[in-house]
Amino acid sequence: MGIEEYGGGQGPHPEVLVVTTNDIPGHEVRQVIGEVFGLTVRSRHLGSQIGAGLKSMIGGELKGLTKTLVETRNQAMERLVEQARARGANAVLSFRFDVTEAADVGTEVCAYGTAVVIAPRV
């Protein structure tokens, strides 16, 4: 897995800007639309669980699980952006991830933030 496969996030000119901050320098919030989220639940893959168990005995990165988590977080973020766009937002402020176990069968990843309409300050 190359370094490009370990990351996520947006390209240089996204249609909906997603930031972890409460504001965006040079922009003002014109309208607060409200909370938006993107959610996905992934089940555990037996093969990766066995491999992870063996790897945990000798140490080192669990690459299969890392790749799955990156894909899962990216999917949750894509769903967040889709929801924000559908509600008329062009930005999401205070973006965060929340990860929890889902009934002992998988992992729930929720991307959430506040959908807003922003405009450059004049």
Side-chain angles (χ1 to χ4, degrees), residues 1 3-11 18 37-40 42 66-82 95-97 99 109-111:
M1 215 160 88
I3 190 67
E4 66 281 349
E5 295 179 84
Y6 285 104
Q10 299 182 294
V18 178
F37 65 90
L39 180 68
T40 185
R42 294 284 176 104
T66 299
K67 184 176 180 182
T68 299
L69 183 56
V70 168
E71 291 169 353
T72 303
R73 288 172 60 122
N74 287 342
Q75 183 179 47
M77 186 171 176
E78 288 168 9
R79 289 178 178 176
L80 167 104
V81 168
E82 288 172 15
F95 170 72
R96 303 285 187 269
F97 281 111
V99 179
V109 176
C110 182

Side-chain angles (χ1 to χ4, degrees), residues 13-55:
H13 303 288
E15 185 179 332
V16 175
L17 180 62
V18 178
V19 297
T20 59
T21 56
N22 295 327
D23 54 17
I24 300 170
H27 291 78
E28 64 181 329
V29 174
R30 295 272 174 93
Q31 179 185 0
V32 175
I33 294 171
E35 179 189 10
V36 289
F37 65 90
L39 180 68
T40 185
V41 178
R42 294 284 176 104
S43 64
R44 293 187 178 96
H45 181 274
L46 181 60
S48 67
Q49 287 299 101
I50 292 171
L54 294 172
K55 187 74 169 188

Side-chain angles (χ1 to χ4, degrees), residues 107-121:
T107 303
E108 170 191 331
V109 176
C110 182
Y112 63 94
T114 303
V116 297
V117 175
I118 60 169
R121 278 202 181 94

